[in-house]
Amino acid sequence: AQSVTQPDIHITVSEGASLELRCNYSYGATPYLFWYVQSPGQGLQLLLKYFSGDTLVQGIKGFEAEFKRSQSSFNLRKPSVHWSDAAEYFCAVGVDRGSTLGRLYFGRGTQLTVWP
Amino acid sequence: EPEVTQTPSHQVTQMGQEVILRCVPISNHLYFYWYRQILGQKVEFLVSFYNNEISEKSEIFDDQFSVERPDGSNFTLKIRSTKLEDSAMYFCASILGQGNSPLHFGNGTRLTVT
């Protein structure tokens, strides 16, 4: 069965520091992978996605993620964190249903706190 | 940029009452979804909907739940007789359905069952 693990429940970084949020998945085929961000009281905003091709994907707000098939990982990175990046981050794996995307399986999320 | 919109943003209801959560997906999207997030837990898939029928549902989506696309724009989730454990944030999502198009989520409806 598909599953997503985000091993870090809460991460605290200083503003300007680099960031890496970990995500590991379990899926039998090539996955569709996503990172979403959720600010308090808000919905899920897509940061970036991987469907195929280049394993290093660029997203919005200066985020990037790298798909490593050998490690079943899709870690999210940002070279310099801004205070506005404080939010909860969700990794998700999607199932290919041919013409469209099937259900997404989400990790438990990583809460990011940014110190000024 | 077009958005998925959900109403209301917060709904409070008594146990046993029926609730309808409303969503307006992005206008040219073809596939529609409901997810929920119980406080402190993972976001969970409930159901997907295409061409006026359910295409996939999870084990959570039992007979108490139903979905409908009553007109060309709205997509609703009905819970017939709410339980305390239905308290959660409910997210609607839609997707164009072509190739590698991503899933767009609404801001959610927080349902509180008392």
Side-chain angles (χ1 to χ4, degrees), chain B residues 23-24 26 29 42 45-46 49 69 80 109:
Chain B
C23 168
V24 179
I26 295 174
H29 284 191
K42 292 184 180 185
F45 168 80
L46 291 177
F49 191 85
R69 189 156 162 82
R80 287 190 181 81
T109 293

Side-chain angles (χ1 to χ4, degrees), chain A residues 30-100:
Chain A
T30 300
Y32 294 164
L33 295 161
F34 307 84
W35 275 98
Y36 284 88
V37 61
Q38 184 182 31
S39 297
Q42 300 297 308
L44 296 164
Q45 182 184 21
L46 179 68
L47 282 177
L48 46 77
K49 63 185 187 296
Y50 171 79
F51 285 129
S52 64
D54 192 347
T55 56
L56 183 63
V57 293
Q58 303 297 320
I60 62 171
K61 305 184 181 185
F63 285 92
E64 67 176 26
E66 186 171 12
F67 169 52
K68 292 186 177 179
R69 184 189 302 275
S70 61
Q71 298 176 18
S72 297
S73 69
F74 189 57
N75 294 347
L76 181 71
R77 300 193 294 250
K78 186 169 184 177
S80 178
V81 170
H82 188 263
W83 64 266
S84 61
D85 293 324
E88 187 147 26
Y89 291 79
F90 293 93
C91 181
V93 61
V95 178
D96 181 3
R97 286 181 60 85
S99 62
T100 189

Side-chain angles (χ1 to χ4, degrees), chain B residues 41-109:
Chain B
Q41 298 189 22
K42 292 184 180 185
V43 177
E44 303 171 291
F45 168 80
L46 291 177
V47 66
S48 60
F49 191 85
Y50 170 71
N51 200 25
N52 284 320
E53 61 183 27
I54 291 173
S55 50
E56 186 180 4
K57 61 182 181 179
S58 72
E59 57 282 358
I60 302 169
F61 194 87
D62 61 21
D63 292 344
Q64 290 299 310
F65 292 90
S66 62
V67 289
E68 191 178 34
R69 189 156 162 82
D71 53 42
S73 59
N74 290 285
F75 179 52
T76 61
L77 174 70
K78 182 192 291 185
I79 309 175
R80 287 190 181 81
S81 177
T82 51
K83 308 184 188 89
L84 294 176
E85 54 266 36
D86 293 327
S87 295
M89 180 74 91
Y90 288 81
F91 292 106
C92 174
S94 69
I95 193 171
L96 182 60
Q98 292 178 352
N100 60 0
S101 52
L103 199 59
H104 294 262
F105 283 87
N107 281 343
T109 293

